[in-house]
């Protein structure tokens, strides 16, 4: 293992072992302090965050974008502080930590027994939302995780999410789609973060007036299995409670080829994501390039 990889693994390990022992107000203060220091350094991640926010809020002044990126980094570090502490939260704290609107779309879909796919963007804390589902609704689910380097760091993330009641499949390897389809045909729940295409071969969508690519998986799974496809958006307010909304189902179009149906459905997901992101841009943790105009075709997403 290289020195940077060992350092990354050690830092994350320290986060999970140390931050979860802090009192919640102390952890929140630590997160804000780290966020503000990172924001002041104006590193690559902060600059990319601002560039992405410039597309979401096209009329924003440089001062407004700078303030948005500061809030965005604080939101991003809130996600990390919460995630480090989630394994130590009581069931009551998890249940009280998330209040979603229109949850009936999910509960009714599960009751119908056809399987449900929840598709989310990188908004607020999707891990907390998942822990709420496994705790409040007592519903396990399957998700997919990007393979991280070093392997030990990926293993930490898998163990962390499995400890919250999730089944985690690796994004690479080619077998994830078949496993997800089987879970859905059995009436299960699948949750996928779906606003960034990791394969560089996703579906082209219009996103805030420019072209981007998003993964085809959610739409294809819905077509293959008959499962309900539900977009979800999340946000923070000034309280310790995260908010969210389960959007109405994305229907499978009647006419068209599989590719045409996938395109229509993925655009519908993108539109739902855009609604939530526009309302709470500071909670969108997209520190990578996303729009096609920003991507190097030779390198793919970065």
């Amino acid at each position: 293992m290289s020195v940077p990889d060992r350092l990354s693994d050690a830092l994350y390990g320290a986060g999970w072992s140390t931050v979860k022992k802090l009192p919640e107000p102390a952890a929140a203060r630590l997160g804000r302090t780290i966020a503000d220091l990172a924001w002041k350094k104006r590193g690559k991640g902060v600059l990319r965050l601002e560039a992405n926010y410039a597309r979401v809020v096209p009329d924003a002044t440089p001062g407004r974008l700078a303030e948005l990126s500061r809030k965005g980094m604080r939101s991003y570090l809130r996600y990390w502080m919460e995630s480090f502490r989630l394994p130590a939260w009581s069931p009551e704290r998890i249940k009280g930590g998330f209040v979603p609107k229109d949850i009936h779309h999910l509960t009714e879909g599960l009751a119908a027994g056809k399987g449900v796919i929840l598709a989310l963007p990188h908004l607020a804390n999707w891990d907390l939302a998942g822990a709420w589902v496994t705790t409040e609704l007592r519903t396990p689910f399957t998700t997919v995780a990007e393979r991280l380097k070093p392997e030990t760091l990926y293993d930490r993330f898998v163990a962390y999410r499995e400890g919250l009641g999730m089944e985690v499949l690796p994004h690479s390897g080619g077998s994830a789609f078949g496993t997800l389809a089987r879970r859905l045909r059995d009436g299960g729940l699948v949750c996928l973060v779906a606003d960034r295409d990791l394969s560089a071969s996703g579906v082209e969508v219009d996103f805030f007036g420019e072209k981007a690519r998003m993964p085809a998986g959610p739409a294809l799974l819905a077509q293959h299995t008959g499962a309900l496809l539900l977009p979800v958006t999340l946000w923070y307010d000034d309280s310790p409670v995260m908010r969210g909304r389960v959007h109405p189902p994305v229907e499978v179009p009647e006419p068209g080829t599989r590719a045409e149906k996938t395109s229509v459905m993925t655009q519908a997901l993108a539109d739902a994501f855009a609604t939530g992101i526009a309302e709470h841009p500071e909670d969108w943790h997209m520190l990578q390039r996303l729009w096609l105009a920003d991507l190097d075709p030779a390198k793919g997403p970065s």
Side-chain angles (χ1 to χ4, degrees):
M1 187 188 300
S2 68
V3 172
D5 284 350
R6 286 200 300 270
L7 179 60
S8 295
D9 186 55
L11 288 173
Y12 281 103
W16 266 298
S17 64
T18 303
V19 173
K20 69 180 179 182
K21 298 176 184 177
L22 294 174
E24 196 157 334
R29 285 195 300 271
L30 176 61
R32 288 193 297 270
T33 299
I34 295 172
D36 289 348
L37 287 172
W39 178 76
K40 288 176 182 177
K41 286 185 176 180
R42 306 288 293 163
K44 184 166 65 173
V46 172
L47 295 178
R48 173 47 49 195
L49 191 63
E50 281 187 17
N52 290 339
Y53 287 161
R55 289 202 168 82
V56 176
V57 191
D59 58 347
T61 64
R64 167 68 172 144
L65 288 175
E67 180 60 21
L68 266 180
S69 67
R70 182 170 181 261
K71 290 180 178 179
M73 290 304 294
R74 285 190 167 194
S75 176
Y76 185 49
L77 263 294
R78 176 174 171 175
Y79 159 77
W80 279 111
M81 293 296 110
E82 287 179 348
S83 295
F84 286 143
R85 293 174 54 78
L86 262 176
W89 280 14
S90 68
E92 291 71 25
R93 177 67 181 90
I94 291 173
K95 291 177 182 179
F98 178 45
V99 178
K101 298 178 180 179
D102 299 327
I103 195 67
H104 66 92
H105 291 305
L106 172 57
T107 55
E108 291 170 4
L110 291 171
K114 291 185 176 181
V116 176
I117 306 157
L118 297 180
L120 307 87
H122 286 80
L123 272 170
N125 191 339
W126 46 96
D127 284 333
L128 172 55
W132 185 90
V133 167
T134 61
T135 304
E136 174 66 23
L137 301 185
R138 298 184 180 182
T139 302
F141 63 87
T142 304
T143 188
V144 175
E146 179 182 2
R147 278 205 175 275
L148 302 171
K149 293 183 179 180
E151 191 74 16
T152 51
L153 181 57
Y154 172 76
D155 292 341
R156 286 185 190 274
F157 273 94
V158 170
Y160 152 66
R161 290 186 169 124
E162 287 179 341
L164 298 174
M166 311 175 193
E167 179 188 21
V168 183
L169 307 176
H171 181 270
S172 58
S175 62
F177 188 92
T179 302
L180 295 173
R182 286 194 295 275
R183 299 293 182 269
L184 291 167
R185 289 192 183 102
D186 289 340
L189 176 63
V190 165
C191 300
L192 300 171
V193 179
D195 57 343
R196 180 170 175 249
D197 177 45
L198 296 175
S199 67
S201 59
V203 178
E204 191 170 295
V205 295
D206 182 85
F207 197 52
F208 290 101
E210 292 192 43
K211 296 299 181 183
R213 287 194 189 97
M214 293 187 181
L220 287 172
L221 283 167
Q223 293 175 65
H224 275 279
T225 67
L228 196 66
L229 176 55
L230 299 174
V232 178
T233 53
L234 310 170
W235 66 93
Y236 289 128
D237 57 18
D238 294 329
S239 77
V241 178
M242 184 177 72
R243 312 290 173 174
R245 179 189 174 198
V246 182
H247 295 251
V250 172
E251 304 290 347
V252 178
E254 288 292 338
T257 64
R258 178 176 297 173
E260 290 168 342
K261 292 178 181 180
T262 301
S263 177
V264 171
M265 295 172 72
T266 306
Q267 182 63 60
L269 283 180
D271 292 343
F273 295 166
T275 298
I277 292 167
E279 291 174 350
H280 305 278
E282 67 277 7
D283 291 323
W284 189 41
H285 308 151
M286 185 55 66
L287 282 73
Q288 297 85 21
R289 299 174 188 272
L290 180 73
W291 280 272
L292 299 188
D294 294 335
L295 294 174
D296 179 350
K299 297 180 180 178
S302 62

